[in-house]
Amino acid sequence: MSDGNGARRPLRVAMIGYGFMGATHSVGWRQAPHVFDLPEGVEMAVLVGRRPDAVADAAAHWGWAESATDWREVIGRPDIDIVDIVTPGDAHAEIAIAALDAGKHVLCEKPLANSVAEAEAMLAAAERAAGRGAKAMVGFTYRRVPAVTFLRDLIAQGAVGTVQQVRAAYRQDWLVDPQAPMAWRLQKEHAGSGALGDIGAHIIDMTQFVTGQRVEAVSGTVETIVTQRPRAAAASGFTGTAGEGYDEVTVDDAAIFTGRLSGGALVSFEATRFATGRKNALTIEVSGDRGALVFDLEDLNSLQFYDRTAPADRQGFTKILVTEPQHPYLSSWWPAGHMLGYEHGFVHQVVDLVQAIHDDRQPHPSFAEGLSVQRVLAAVERSAANDSAWERTEVPALATGH
């Protein structure tokens, strides 16, 4: 960006929200310029939240230059170039549309919105803003785990042949205890849906990303296993009633559904917060007529590869350690065999967004890709309400990228 005198100044970022995802995004913004040779400078300008003292403390802790409580005022500032949205889902559409209409680049956490209608409005705003050079991207960060990007590359190169079946699951257990307190993620008005939208969105996007195909139809069911939760003490990010008593859980705890890809393959999906003992277990297995590939987030620096074309006496899953400089993103990190972690995907997210802004091209995943996931989520909910009948997702053709 120009400072008005022809000199380049850093891209100045405002982040709206500062909870768990705010922490991960802050790490990304802070580390990316120090590890990667970015084509543009980056400055963590302002952190925005509702509570002045809490957001000021968070800004100081994570390295933001200042804090504020009025996101509308911040979006209107001429010195802000990028708006990063990490709020609960019910605020995504309003903030993103306002930021894009103000000519700001936007990074929005997943899922894109709480409904298809909101996501469509956000895409329309992104398309309007694109004519003025503003970029919009969705934060499906697991795409940027090097092993996942490499898995996508291997499939595109024909390593598994024709994709015949996909199994994708995201399992957690943080709600198994029925006395776990109410949170905004359990309120439909704030979260849109439960495990389906929160973690199911990740495996839908990952499936479409690595296969290069879209989910065309689904059949599924959703379940709320614990229907009431004790009220929480007032805390940062909690928007419900605090104090004694119980409130209704208005989202799903688990979702299990089958999908059909545009290339004909069948997909099984599972998203649950009731998989006892599973803390953050995201897995995907892609099976084809020439081989298979497996990724497990709990072993995120590797892939399992089965080569069906190998001699029969040498067949079996083999481990590929994805730490070589030839692998995606890794040439800027540590020597081979030195592992990366969860936070590095958020660094890579910043790298890709800044590079796309510099190159004046559409970053991925785009709002169109975010809308495609939203349509799948909505189709699962329709199917569950209609005795698991097959439902079309009406997803347009995708152009997927890093």
Side-chain angles (χ1 to χ4, degrees), residues 248-288:
E248 293 293 322
V249 175
T250 52
V251 299
D252 59 280
D253 288 324
I256 298 175
F257 52 105
T258 304
R260 180 75 67 181
L261 292 181
S262 52
L266 198 63
V267 189
S268 62
F269 295 99
E270 179 185 7
T272 178
R273 295 162 170 168
F274 274 75
T276 303
R278 300 295 183 184
K279 303 305 176 185
N280 200 38
L282 185 159
T283 59
I284 187 166
E285 181 169 347
V286 181
S287 302

Side-chain angles (χ1 to χ4, degrees), residues 34 50 237 276 313 387:
H34 300 291
R50 290 190 305 269
T276 303
D313 60 349
D387 294 327

Side-chain angles (χ1 to χ4, degrees), residues 178-216:
Q179 294 303 306
M182 180 59 69
W184 70 263
R185 291 184 186 275
L186 307 181
Q187 300 168 311
K188 189 173 182 63
E189 66 270 26
H190 298 299
S193 64
L196 175 62
D198 183 22
I199 54 180
H202 274 301
I203 53 177
I204 294 166
D205 178 74
M206 187 177 291
T207 296
Q208 296 190 143
F209 173 63
V210 302
T211 64
Q213 301 179 34
R214 63 188 185 273
V215 179
E216 288 191 328

Side-chain angles (χ1 to χ4, degrees), residues 331-369:
S331 61
S332 294
W333 288 106
W334 322 123
H338 292 70
M339 307 304 182
L340 299 190
Y342 172 76
E343 74 277 13
H344 293 87
F346 296 90
V347 178
H348 303 155
Q349 177 171 262
V350 168
V351 172
D352 288 344
L353 176 58
V354 171
Q355 188 67 57
I357 291 171
H358 177 78
D359 295 343
D360 192 25
R361 59 176 170 79
Q362 172 61 53
H364 292 279
S366 65
F367 275 20
E369 291 166 89

Side-chain angles (χ1 to χ4, degrees), residues 42-388:
V42 170
E43 184 175 332
M44 297 167 65
V46 56
L47 182 65
V48 184
R50 290 190 305 269
R51 300 194 300 159
D53 292 344
V55 71
D57 288 346
H61 182 76
W62 291 112
W64 294 88
E66 61 177 291
S67 63
T69 57
D70 186 344
W71 64 262
R72 293 175 180 83
E73 184 275 330
V74 170
I75 283 174
R77 286 170 42 169
D79 64 325
I80 296 301
D81 305 302
I82 300 173
V83 174
D84 185 358
I85 304 168
V86 295
T87 65
D90 59 323
H92 285 187
E94 183 181 14
I95 298 171
I97 292 169
L100 288 164
D101 286 347
K104 312 300 184 185
H105 307 295
V106 170
L107 170 61
C108 183
E109 253 305 316
K110 48 55 57 188
L112 184 59
N114 278 4
S115 69
V116 170
E118 287 180 345
E120 289 174 339
M122 294 170 75
L123 175 58
E127 291 174 339
R128 291 194 303 268
R132 302 189 299 275
K135 311 303 179 189
M137 188 171 82
V138 187
F140 282 111
T141 319
Y142 289 134
R143 287 186 176 205
R144 294 179 165 85
V145 173
V148 174
T149 306
F150 187 51
L151 188 155
R152 186 278 309 267
D153 294 345
L154 288 174
I155 291 174
Q157 293 164 14
V160 304
T162 299
V163 175
Q164 297 174 321
Q165 190 174 356
V166 180
R167 289 162 290 279
Y170 202 157
R171 303 180 181 98
Q172 299 175 339
D173 73 350
W174 60 279
L175 288 178
V176 169
D177 182 357
Q179 294 303 306
M182 180 59 69
W184 70 263
R185 291 184 186 275
L186 307 181
Q187 300 168 311
K188 189 173 182 63
E189 66 270 26
H190 298 299
S193 64
L196 175 62
D198 183 22
I199 54 180
H202 274 301
I203 53 177
I204 294 166
D205 178 74
M206 187 177 291
T207 296
Q208 296 190 143
F209 173 63
V210 302
T211 64
Q213 301 179 34
R214 63 188 185 273
V215 179
E216 288 191 328
V218 292
S219 168
T221 187
V222 299
E223 183 76 13
T224 304
I225 297 171
V226 174
T227 59
Q228 290 187 323
R229 293 279 178 181
R231 291 173 180 165
S236 174
F238 180 64
T239 54
T241 304
E244 296 181 358
Y246 285 77
D247 285 323
E248 293 293 322
V249 175
T250 52
V251 299
D252 59 280
D253 288 324
I256 298 175
F257 52 105
T258 304
R260 180 75 67 181
L261 292 181
S262 52
L266 198 63
V267 189
S268 62
F269 295 99
E270 179 185 7
T272 178
R273 295 162 170 168
F274 274 75
T276 303
R278 300 295 183 184
K279 303 305 176 185
N280 200 38
L282 185 159
T283 59
I284 187 166
E285 181 169 347
V286 181
S287 302
D289 60 349
R290 293 176 58 85
L293 283 160
V294 183
F295 170 74
D296 181 348
L297 184 63
E298 294 182 343
D299 187 13
L300 83 171
N301 290 279
S302 70
L303 293 173
Q304 296 289 331
F305 175 49
Y306 184 92
D307 182 3
R308 190 170 165 272
T309 68
D313 60 349
R314 279 170 271 173
Q315 288 186 2
F317 277 96
T318 60
K319 183 174 183 176
I320 301 173
L321 192 62
V322 186
T323 64
E324 297 292 331
Q326 295 85 355
H327 289 132
Y329 302 106
L330 285 161
S331 61
S332 294
W333 288 106
W334 322 123
H338 292 70
M339 307 304 182
L340 299 190
Y342 172 76
E343 74 277 13
H344 293 87
F346 296 90
V347 178
H348 303 155
Q349 177 171 262
V350 168
V351 172
D352 288 344
L353 176 58
V354 171
Q355 188 67 57
I357 291 171
H358 177 78
D359 295 343
D360 192 25
R361 59 176 170 79
Q362 172 61 53
H364 292 279
S366 65
F367 275 20
E369 291 166 89
L371 171 59
S372 78
V373 173
Q374 205 72 47
R375 285 175 168 156
V376 177
L377 297 174
V380 173
E381 290 188 317
R382 292 197 306 272
S383 174
N386 191 25
D387 294 327
S388 301

